[in-house]
Amino acid sequence: MNRTQLLQGTLDLLILRILELGPNHGWGISSRLQQISQDGLRTSQGSLYPALHRLEMRGEVRSEMTTSENNRRARVYAITRAGRKRLNQETETWEAFALSMRRVLEEGQ
Amino acid sequence: MIARVFATLRGLLRRRPIEDEIVEELRDHIEREIEAHRSRGVSAEEARRLALRDLGGLTQTIESSRAVRATWLDTVWHDARYAVRTLSRTPAFTLAAVSTLALGIGATTAIFSVANAALLRPLPYPHADEIRTLRTMFTDGRITSGLVGPLEMTRLKDPSLPITNVAMAGRGDFTLLRADGTPVSIVVSGVDEGFFPLFDLPLAVGGGFTPEYFRQNGPNGAILSYRLWRGAFGGDPHVVGKTLTLTNGGAPILGVAAPEMDVPRGTDAWFNLQLDPQSTNHGFDGYLRLRPSTSDSVLSQRLAAVAAVLGHDFPGPEGNRAFLVERFVDSIVGDLRPMLIIVLSATALILVLACVNVANLLLARASRRSREVAIRAALGASRGRIAAQLLTESAVLASVGMVLGVALAYVAVRLLLRYGASQLPRLETVAFDTRVLLFAIAMLALCALGIALAPVLQLARRGVMERWLRERGRSVGGARSTHRALRTMIIVEVAVAVTIVAGTGLLVRSFLNLQHDDPGFDSHGRLKFDLVLAGPRYRDPGVSRTWAHTLFTHLRGIHGVTEVAGSSDFPMGDAFSRLLIQMDTWDESHVHVVARSSVVTPSFFRAMGMRVTRGRGFTDDDRATTGPVVVVNESFVRRYLDGRDPLTARFAFGFPQVNRASQRPIVGVVNDVKYASLWSSVEPVFYLVADQAWGGIFRLNVVVSTEFADPRMAIAAVRAEVQKMDPQLAVTVRPVADVVASTLTRQKLGTTLMLGFGAMAVLLATIGIYGMIAYASAERHSEVATRMALGATRANVFWLLSRQGLVVTAAGAAIGVGLAYGAGRLASSWLYAVRPFDPLILGSALVLVVGVTVIATLIPVGRAARVDPALALRFE
């Protein structure tokens, strides 16, 4: 598992987690990302959109152009059933991974 | 998985391009980000800067989003639009490339559609490749007509044989009486039950023969040819049930054959034959249809077995007989494969030339566009992506070229039809069928791949992009690999051009040989026309003979006419009747020996310019009342007299049995005349003089020999004399030379096409080489300027620039000569009396191509050498 893949997987997971709370547009997801991770996990906003589009191509999120407040057109993303399934799976995997990492690190101390 | 498919489909169905949506989404993001910054009190300008910074590279984000969303179709569409944009920015380049491709594809498609109709599908019958003609021969050296008999065909109907159909036909000349009593000379063929099913063309009108027509004492009927129906019956839709009236009988009309039906060749009406299936009378042309996917060698083995059984059962007429089969198409149009192969290879080579030219243009452009490509690579475009882009660009070029090319081909074919439709039997069926369109599409694919190949290969070379970047378009020597590619292409162009031009030369030479070949008679200054004397006023034999004699006397009186004669048949007409013969020294085992016979008036040999090589020709003293005599040709002597002095021999003839009473001495030998066509072999022929053969005269081929170089001058006078004798007789008078030339139409077409190819090849090679040298010289602009600033003379520079071009031309010419020699060797067995290494042809081809190439080299070099060094260096 190389670094990009790890990061990408993490980003997907975070996006799905945010969308689980409710549909949102790109900028909304981006600012939620920064809040959730308390600026600790800084992701480039540039990589957010390719990730969103990739998730959409996989069918894990779907999107719709909407006309929102003050007549602004925005693309709103929502999680799909496939997305929820992946989120659950990945959360388990991630927790298992985090657990084993912690064990390794604690043992090393 | 399904969700993914739907996402893709949604993507495809979306009308707006992906980029627009992504841009819109990002704009929304940036606006919101700016607002968020502004609400924290950041200045408008700073907020904008921060928003853009946080997003990272805008272009990169768009591109990577696009890469995620885009399907291959989007990519192609994107590339195609990009290609159209770039191409429209360089109109001169695009025009040159597209017009070269259009010419290349247009010419090849036009030629292919003609070849398709005239050469590839020369026969209109369904699955014509299964049809064979059937002949017989004696294996013990006895001589036979080669015709087949009913008994043999009965045996071949055995279902265990790999044969689906067998048929017989016998041909004869008859005179049709029209409703108003005017006579028309027609060819009638008697056919058996298997005949129409074998050729498998539906009748145009009516139902045709039913089985009872072929039973002994069954009814009689006739099927008209489409031509006769349109001509003599005016295309009457109610013709079925009317009567076809001949001077010697008639039959009810049962139907009209398909327009394409033409077996045996020239038949105007088919009658039903009622044959005894056990008859051994060998009097018919045989045909069979091979069971699909059976090889000819299997057929030959099975036929040999049948022949052995027949020989055992009927040792007299069938003993030691063998079957011979030939592909029907070969027997009708001769072997056209050589012509086809030559023409199609030339087509392929022309296309190579066109592609090389366009590839050149692209290559030259690619090296000018090196900066663009390098920048795109630096921005993260993968090599595959750039290659796909280049390929798309070439595909766009090739598509436009194909559309224009097919339009061009259409126009060219229309023109060709106007010019040559009457010359070539099957040309009227030239059509843009699926095969032609498939061909054009294949050409498109080949061109697109061919022209993209060079730039893409260059791209694939490691380090090329880095070098492009480093050179930054400023170069002294130009990209080395580009120059190597250009050199290779000049070599290819020159070699291909030499090959095509030399091939054209060989074909033209072959055609000229054929045309100037001695047919055994002199066609110069001679006219010919058909005369049919069958109205009520000619019913008395004496009247018709006196009439013909008077006409000849009048014709001889025309100024410039030197001789007039008549004959029952005419060379190049293939209408000689076949009679059985019996030599005075032969025993009874020589059965069914056949020779062609022709009845002539006494002055015929003189009027035709034929030579009497032994004895004498006919004279006016050979009359009905004097002892009957016969004149034979040299082939007759070689084949039937076995070294005997012909002037001591006598023979009898007849049909269907030899008439013993007809025995007469040979008084002279004349030279051989080619009958069916110029390349056909000569056959044994014997000539009888009219007064000793005919009672009255029905049909006569009249030949008028004149002292004019162009005998057409006498046509009006000849026609007037005939009209004076009988105002109702309208005759078509043609120069004999035209009659001969009409047998060469296919060869002429092939040769004309090749001449077009040759011109095209020289033109394309010239344009290509001119372009390449001009490009290479322009690339070395600064080098030339530097050299000249350092004191090089104009002559030095001229030599420097042209040397490379000349060396490369020489290399191409050498390879071309080798290729032409090889191609000539392959083709020489197909060509008529042509040597593969004809120094004159190869030399001319070489001089022509190299000459043109050198001029195409020197003009741009001369221009480059006139450069003003100061100006050039400043420009750089």
Side-chain angles (χ1 to χ4, degrees):
Chain A
M1 196 186 275
N2 68 40
R3 223 178 103 220
T4 350
Q5 268 177 331
L6 174 68
L7 286 172
Q8 231 171 48
T10 320
L11 184 58
D12 286 2
L13 203 58
L14 288 171
I15 291 171
L16 289 173
R17 174 77 189 113
I18 289 163
L19 288 179
E20 204 189 13
L21 303 173
N24 213 333
H25 46 64
W27 183 79
I29 297 169
S30 162
S31 49
R32 287 302 296 270
L33 260 177
Q34 282 170 35
Q35 281 172 25
I36 287 177
S37 51
Q38 281 105 33
D39 294 8
L41 265 173
R42 228 191 135 75
T43 55
S44 152
Q45 291 173 358
S47 58
L48 171 69
Y49 288 95
L52 274 171
H53 297 148
R54 191 163 41 242
L55 285 171
E56 191 180 2
M57 291 306 286
R58 282 203 202 126
E60 286 160 4
V61 305
R62 59 167 186 271
S63 75
E64 214 181 338
M65 284 308 267
T66 57
T67 312
S68 62
E69 73 274 25
N70 55 28
N71 218 9
R72 181 185 264 158
R73 278 170 63 75
R75 182 175 288 279
V76 170
Y77 294 87
I79 192 162
T80 63
R81 204 177 327 155
R84 273 179 222 282
K85 206 170 137 196
R86 179 164 171 226
L87 179 62
N88 290 338
Q89 278 173 1
E90 298 257 324
T91 312
E92 279 167 30
T93 324
W94 180 254
E95 275 166 1
F97 174 70
L99 193 65
S100 51
M101 278 301 282
R102 196 158 56 229
R103 268 194 209 131
V104 170
L105 293 171
E106 280 165 3
E107 266 172 35
Q109 266 176 355
Chain B
M1 187 61 215
I2 293 185
R4 187 179 185 152
V5 170
F6 275 109
T8 310
L9 278 180
R10 265 205 311 279
L12 283 181
L13 291 175
R14 260 197 319 260
R15 269 173 321 192
R16 277 189 322 154
I18 289 165
E19 281 86 353
D20 291 1
E21 293 197 350
I22 296 172
V23 167
E24 195 173 350
E25 188 172 21
L26 290 176
R27 185 186 298 133
D28 177 57
H29 176 100
I30 290 165
E31 280 169 7
R32 285 173 197 272
E33 185 81 8
I34 290 171
E35 275 167 30
H37 283 303
R38 294 270 289 156
S39 66
R40 286 202 302 270
V42 181
S43 76
E45 217 170 296
E46 179 64 6
R48 189 178 167 73
R49 198 187 64 78
L50 283 175
L52 283 171
R53 186 204 65 190
D54 287 348
L55 195 59
L58 198 58
T59 320
Q60 216 173 334
T61 308
I62 293 173
E63 184 60 23
S64 51
S65 274
R66 203 191 67 78
V68 169
R69 272 181 173 254
T71 59
W72 63 272
L73 214 65
D74 289 317
T75 312
V76 168
W77 177 234
H78 176 262
D79 281 356
R81 283 194 315 161
Y82 181 76
V84 169
R85 271 205 312 275
T86 20
L87 289 175
S88 58
R89 232 180 286 138
T90 48
F93 160 80
T94 308
L95 196 70
V98 163
S99 52
T100 308
L101 281 173
L103 266 182
I105 296 180
T108 45
T109 306
I111 280 149
F112 181 81
S113 57
V114 171
N116 182 31
L119 307 175
L120 215 54
R121 299 173 46 233
L123 296 179
Y125 314 106
H127 306 285
D129 51 324
E130 294 166 9
I131 307 177
R132 302 285 180 278
T133 56
L134 184 69
R135 292 159 55 83
T136 61
M137 62 172 282
F138 281 123
T139 54
D140 56 9
R142 277 183 300 156
I143 298 150
T144 170
S145 59
L147 299 178
V148 298
L151 175 65
E152 286 159 346
M153 300 311 258
T154 306
R155 294 290 175 102
L156 291 181
K157 284 178 185 150
D158 181 349
S160 74
L161 293 169
I163 295 171
T164 54
N165 267 313
V166 291
M168 283 183 291
R171 209 185 107 133
D173 297 328
F174 290 85
T175 301
L176 165 78
L177 288 178
R178 291 201 219 203
D180 62 358
T182 52
V184 184
S185 149
I186 64 169
V187 175
V188 172
S189 294
V191 299
D192 71 348
E193 193 173 352
F195 185 82
F196 277 97
L198 189 145
F199 289 98
D200 202 18
L201 283 177
L203 293 190
V205 176
F209 299 121
T210 50
E212 77 252 25
Y213 279 89
F214 300 99
R215 266 180 230 131
Q216 308 262 326
N217 303 318
N220 278 314
I223 291 178
L224 304 183
S225 73
Y226 197 82
R227 189 177 51 231
L228 185 69
W229 178 56
R230 299 298 299 234
F233 291 87
D236 176 9
H238 308 295
V239 72
V240 173
K242 296 195 172 160
T243 305
L244 180 68
T245 314
L246 304 179
T247 46
N248 49 353
I253 296 166
L254 299 178
V256 177
E260 302 88 8
M261 181 71 191
D262 190 26
V263 193
R265 193 148 48 131
T267 297
D268 295 302
W270 292 268
F271 279 75
N272 51 316
L273 287 171
Q274 291 168 351
L275 300 163
D276 170 9
Q278 300 305 314
S279 160
T280 57
N281 174 18
H282 289 78
F284 303 96
D285 294 315
Y287 307 92
L288 64 84
R289 206 179 249 279
L290 194 59
R291 189 166 289 163
S293 68
T294 309
S295 75
D296 276 294
S297 61
V298 169
L299 177 67
S300 299
Q301 282 167 21
R302 301 299 302 272
L303 289 178
V306 173
V309 174
L310 269 171
H312 178 263
D313 295 352
F314 299 88
E318 300 292 344
N320 292 326
R321 224 176 241 276
F323 289 112
L324 289 175
V325 284
E326 188 189 6
R327 281 161 46 88
F328 182 58
V329 61
D330 296 349
S331 73
I332 289 294
V333 291
D335 193 351
L336 288 171
R337 272 166 295 181
M339 188 67 89
L340 195 66
I341 290 169
I342 292 172
V343 167
L344 289 184
S345 329
T347 311
L349 288 178
I350 284 289
L351 208 64
V352 167
L353 276 185
C355 286
V356 165
N357 275 359
V358 178
N360 253 324
L361 286 169
L362 272 178
L363 200 62
R365 205 167 76 112
S367 92
R368 276 175 205 277
R369 277 172 66 190
S370 55
R371 251 180 297 183
E372 176 206 331
V373 173
I375 288 166
R376 288 173 60 202
L379 285 175
S382 69
R383 234 164 243 211
R385 200 67 197 72
I386 294 180
Q389 164 65 41
L390 287 173
L391 199 64
T392 310
E393 197 174 284
S394 70
V396 167
L397 277 178
S399 304
V400 179
M402 184 189 89
V403 170
L404 290 178
V406 168
L408 202 70
Y410 185 80
V411 174
V413 166
R414 291 295 112 187
L415 286 178
L416 202 66
L417 281 185
R418 187 167 294 181
Y419 162 76
S422 56
Q423 303 283 311
L424 200 73
R426 299 264 301 143
L427 206 60
E428 70 274 14
T429 62
V430 169
F432 276 66
D433 58 8
T434 31
R435 220 192 300 205
V436 173
L437 282 179
L438 282 179
F439 176 84
I441 290 167
M443 294 298 99
L444 163 71
L446 272 177
C447 287
L449 276 177
I451 62 187
L453 204 63
V456 169
L457 280 182
Q458 242 198 341
L459 189 73
R461 230 190 280 278
R462 293 206 151 271
V464 162
M465 281 183 297
E466 289 79 351
R467 200 163 62 235
W468 275 344
L469 268 184
R470 223 179 303 120
E471 283 173 357
R472 299 211 320 262
R474 177 199 294 255
S475 58
V476 173
R480 196 169 286 264
S481 55
T482 306
H483 278 239
R484 197 175 310 127
L486 286 180
R487 277 203 300 277
T488 317
M489 288 189 186
I490 299 187
I491 293 179
V492 170
E493 295 227 1
V494 174
V496 168
V498 169
T499 311
I500 294 182
V501 172
T504 307
L506 285 180
L507 216 58
V508 170
R509 185 72 170 257
S510 163
F511 181 67
L512 291 179
N513 285 345
L514 206 50
Q515 213 170 23
H516 294 141
D517 199 54
D518 182 13
F521 57 88
D522 188 357
S523 58
H524 298 105
R526 286 170 167 82
L527 295 170
K528 136 276 141 178
F529 63 93
D530 286 355
L531 205 58
V532 181
L533 307 177
R537 65 182 278 199
Y538 304 111
R539 227 157 250 164
D540 179 68
V543 170
S544 64
R545 271 158 62 179
T546 317
W547 192 92
H549 195 264
T550 316
L551 175 67
F552 284 12
T553 312
H554 287 172
L555 290 177
R556 284 193 191 98
I558 296 172
H559 170 71
V561 169
T562 51
E563 190 56 276
V564 179
S567 72
S568 60
D569 313 272
F570 199 79
M572 311 295 147
D574 197 25
F576 284 63
S577 54
R578 289 180 281 212
L579 297 182
L580 301 172
I581 60 164
Q582 181 75 42
M583 250 354 164
D584 49 357
T585 52
W586 287 352
D587 62 29
E588 294 303 312
S589 74
H590 278 87
V591 286
H592 306 303
V593 178
V594 164
R596 303 241 176 204
S597 76
S598 184
V599 179
V600 298
T601 62
S603 54
F604 181 74
F605 302 130
R606 203 162 50 245
M608 287 293 282
M610 290 166 69
R611 298 179 308 278
V612 177
T613 54
R614 292 287 308 277
R616 65 173 179 89
F618 296 118
T619 68
D620 287 339
D621 296 331
D622 292 314
R623 297 173 196 278
T625 49
T626 61
V629 293
V630 64
V631 170
V632 299
N633 70 351
E634 287 168 336
S635 286
F636 189 100
V637 174
R638 268 196 306 278
R639 229 165 120 190
Y640 296 148
L641 289 175
D642 213 11
R644 214 175 134 194
D645 178 2
L647 301 184
T648 65
R650 303 167 65 83
F651 67 93
F653 50 89
F655 191 86
Q657 259 87 47
V658 171
N659 172 16
R660 306 267 159 212
S662 67
Q663 201 181 68
R664 53 187 72 182
I666 297 172
V667 293
V669 178
V670 291
N671 67 298
D672 287 332
V673 166
K674 294 192 172 180
Y675 300 116
S677 60
L678 285 179
W679 60 94
S680 65
S681 49
V682 290
E683 284 178 83
V685 177
F686 63 92
Y687 296 90
L688 303 173
V689 70
D691 281 2
Q692 295 176 353
W694 283 334
I697 291 172
F698 285 116
R699 292 181 61 237
L700 204 58
N701 287 279
V702 182
V703 57
V704 178
S705 129
T706 71
E707 59 190 16
F708 302 126
D710 182 4
R712 264 173 265 258
M713 291 171 69
I715 287 182
V718 168
R719 205 179 283 143
E721 287 297 338
V722 175
Q723 295 271 300
K724 226 183 278 169
M725 295 278 297
D726 182 345
Q728 282 173 346
L729 264 185
V731 291
T732 310
V733 186
R734 293 175 72 194
V736 172
D738 286 6
V739 177
V740 175
S742 69
T743 65
L744 290 174
T745 47
R746 279 167 215 273
Q747 278 70 13
K748 191 174 169 188
L749 178 78
T751 311
T752 313
L753 291 183
M754 273 307 276
L755 276 173
F757 276 137
M760 195 76 189
V762 172
L763 185 72
L764 282 177
T766 311
I767 293 173
I769 289 160
Y770 178 88
M772 273 182 271
I773 300 289
Y775 166 74
S777 305
E779 279 285 283
R780 299 174 78 175
H781 213 60
S782 58
E783 180 196 342
V784 168
T786 313
R787 280 175 190 272
M788 285 176 79
L790 290 177
T793 64
R794 216 147 260 184
N796 292 146
V797 169
F798 189 81
W799 176 237
L800 174 83
L801 290 180
S802 55
R803 190 180 52 202
Q804 197 188 32
L806 296 180
V807 167
V808 167
T809 301
I815 295 173
V817 169
L819 277 177
Y821 178 67
R825 278 193 62 130
L826 279 179
S828 64
S829 57
W830 306 327
L831 296 173
Y832 192 81
V834 169
R835 286 175 298 158
F837 192 86
D838 188 320
L840 184 70
I841 289 172
L842 273 179
S844 322
L846 212 56
V847 167
L848 179 68
V849 175
V850 171
V852 168
T853 308
V854 166
I855 293 169
T857 307
L858 296 185
I859 291 174
V861 164
R863 215 172 33 213
R866 276 197 303 275
V867 71
D868 178 350
L871 212 65
L873 286 174
R874 209 178 308 136
F875 175 76
E876 187 82 4

